[in-house]
Amino acid sequence: MFEGIVEAGAVPLAVDCQAEVFGIDEIIGRVDGLVLSGGGDIDPMRYQGDRQDPTLRGVNVDRDENELRAWRSARSRGIPVLAICRGAQLLTAELGGDLYMDLPRDRGELVKHRYTEEALATTVHDISVAGSSQLSEWLGGMPKISVNSLHHQGIKKLPAGTVEVAYADDGLIEAFEMPNEPVVAVQWHPEVLWKTSDEQLNILKGFVRQATASAQNRLSNAMRPVPALVPMGN
């Protein structure tokens, strides 16, 4: 993760969200972009899930809450967000969407989506990318790319206010965006694959450019003088 962010031109700041974090709003106020990274499953109580499901892996309710507080803080400031794998699923649940709790069991897999962590260094299946999207712009308009994959859950229903911008050959949603907000969510791991894939590095570079431009715009607005109000009439 860190090496890819550095290669893309930014300075990473890590926040350990495994236990309660104090001062998240202050931390977000000092950064230009937010990455919600991969990891274990989110608490199924945040969507239409079952906490007793035997396929659940690595649920951490503190991490869920910490990352959602960070996301809300970034959203209120207009700070760009790149949500990766677990991060994409967390935003799906937060915004009112739904998830498959276990793809092989609940949907079937014409395309395999969960490989080993070692396999993250290689591409394992293709995805199609919508032309009119931020993701497509970062990729230079490429309609199809190859990705890695390490997830047994997936997006079942997108929330209102989001649009699908990439899908696998089996139709599973692989990426979504919020057209009116600087949010890109992907189901694969560009932060790992960037070393061997120019396309994945371009995703990280595109996000860093977006974060930089957004920060400059916010700074410019903050320095802009407040217009005087001229009273009219008596």
Side-chain angles (χ1 to χ4, degrees):
M1 166 72 78
F2 295 156
E3 291 179 353
I5 294 297
V6 171
E7 183 68 20
V11 178
L13 170 66
V15 179
D16 185 354
C17 291
Q18 300 299 321
E20 185 177 2
V21 177
F22 298 96
I24 284 183
D25 191 60
E26 290 78 6
I27 294 171
I28 297 301
R30 296 175 178 271
V31 302
D32 300 326
L34 173 65
V35 177
L36 298 175
S37 62
D41 298 340
I42 67 171
D43 183 357
M45 295 303 290
R46 294 188 178 277
Y47 57 101
Q48 292 78 27
D50 177 9
R51 273 187 172 170
Q52 304 305 314
D53 192 300
T55 67
L56 283 175
R57 308 175 185 186
V59 174
N60 184 320
V61 295
D62 285 334
R63 180 179 179 184
D64 292 348
E65 185 55 34
N66 287 328
E67 292 187 349
L68 286 174
R69 285 166 55 206
W71 141 253
R72 293 166 191 147
S73 181
R75 188 182 195 188
S76 71
R77 291 177 164 90
I79 293 174
V81 176
L82 175 62
I84 295 173
C85 197
R86 178 189 192 278
Q89 295 171 5
L90 184 66
L91 292 190
T92 296
E94 165 72 359
L95 295 168
D98 197 9
L99 302 174
Y100 292 106
M101 293 201 70
D102 187 66
L103 288 171
R105 181 193 66 195
D106 300 337
R107 187 178 188 270
E109 287 188 305
L110 295 177
V111 172
K112 183 178 178 180
H113 292 279
R114 184 172 182 84
Y115 289 79
T116 64
E117 290 192 17
E118 291 74 19
L120 282 176
T122 62
T123 58
V124 293
H125 70 77
D126 293 339
I127 63 167
S128 298
V129 181
S132 56
S133 65
Q134 180 66 75
L135 180 61
S136 176
E137 181 180 322
W138 292 349
L139 290 167
M142 295 184 67
K144 207 167 184 105
I145 63 170
S146 295
V147 300
N148 52 11
S149 195
L150 182 63
H151 61 104
H152 78 106
Q153 298 192 327
I155 299 170
K156 183 177 183 179
K157 177 185 176 184
L158 279 176
T162 66
V163 294
E164 175 185 344
V165 297
Y167 58 90
D169 289 345
D170 62 355
L172 187 69
I173 297 169
E174 287 281 341
F176 69 86
E177 297 177 3
M178 300 180 68
N180 299 316
E181 300 184 42
V183 175
V184 176
V186 301
Q187 189 62 79
W188 65 96
H189 292 267
E191 83 285 6
V192 176
L193 200 53
W194 68 271
K195 289 184 178 181
T196 56
S197 169
D198 290 341
E199 291 83 10
Q200 304 304 322
L201 179 57
N202 285 338
I203 292 174
L204 300 182
K205 287 182 174 180
F207 175 66
V208 169
R209 287 195 304 270
Q210 183 186 49
T212 301
S214 177
Q216 292 172 342
N217 185 58
R218 291 195 304 277
L219 179 61
S220 176
N221 288 337
M223 296 176 64
R224 188 174 299 162
V226 178
L229 298 178
V230 180
M232 302 297 290
N234 295 326

